[in-house]
Amino acid sequence: MWKYYALLSALFAALTAIFAKIGVKDINSDLATAIRTSVVLCITWGIVVAGNHVGEAKGITAHTWLFLVLSGAATGLSWLFYFKALQTGDVARVAPIDKLSVVITIGLALIFLKETVSARVIVGALFITAGSIMMLYK
């Protein structure tokens, strides 16, 4: 089932890039990110409330809170820089370069989470890297 969620994530990430490129055309990219983040906040809290999961928040440990806050900060910074890049760059070049995050994630998971990677994953990461580097040059 995770594969379907991953494919849906990719689809919506692609739509995000297209919609964002159009959305940041005439406004400050930081303001655009704030608007986008507010929409995400409303949708996710709506899902939590509808699923009756609000009460589960009291059982969250300090360790979990710390890493969720760090993840949120990283997400916010990622979005701010992504929107800045989209505002001045071509979406067809910005989005693939942004996908270097996949390669960086693989490396960080290897180092910090002690995950194992197969030769197939390494080859895929090399292809992503090569493609992203190609997008840097016009």
Side-chain angles (χ1 to χ4, degrees), residues 4-126:
Y4 297 112
Y5 290 132
L7 288 170
L8 286 169
S9 174
L11 170 65
F12 284 106
L15 290 173
T16 297
I18 300 303
F19 296 156
K21 177 65 178 179
I22 297 166
V24 298
K25 182 179 177 203
D26 297 321
I27 67 170
N28 175 275
S29 64
D30 296 335
L31 175 60
T33 304
I35 293 168
R36 172 191 183 188
T37 304
S38 299
V39 171
V40 171
L41 182 71
C42 291
I43 290 171
T44 53
W45 274 108
I47 291 168
V48 168
V49 169
N52 202 25
H53 299 291
V54 176
E56 297 172 25
K58 62 184 169 207
I60 299 174
T61 67
H63 180 265
T64 299
W65 272 110
L66 172 65
F67 283 95
L68 290 176
V69 167
L70 289 172
S71 175
T75 297
L77 290 168
S78 172
W79 289 355
L80 286 165
F81 290 123
Y82 186 67
F83 269 43
K84 288 242 185 253
L86 282 177
Q87 195 163 47
T88 56
D90 296 333
V91 71
R93 294 177 69 211
V94 170
I97 293 168
D98 175 66
K99 295 311 170 216
L100 273 175
S101 64
V102 173
V103 177
I104 295 167
T105 301
I106 292 167
L108 292 175
L110 187 69
I111 295 166
F112 294 110
L113 302 177
K114 307 297 184 216
E115 292 187 0
T116 58
V117 294
S118 66
R120 183 182 313 170
V121 170
I122 292 169
V123 170
L126 291 172

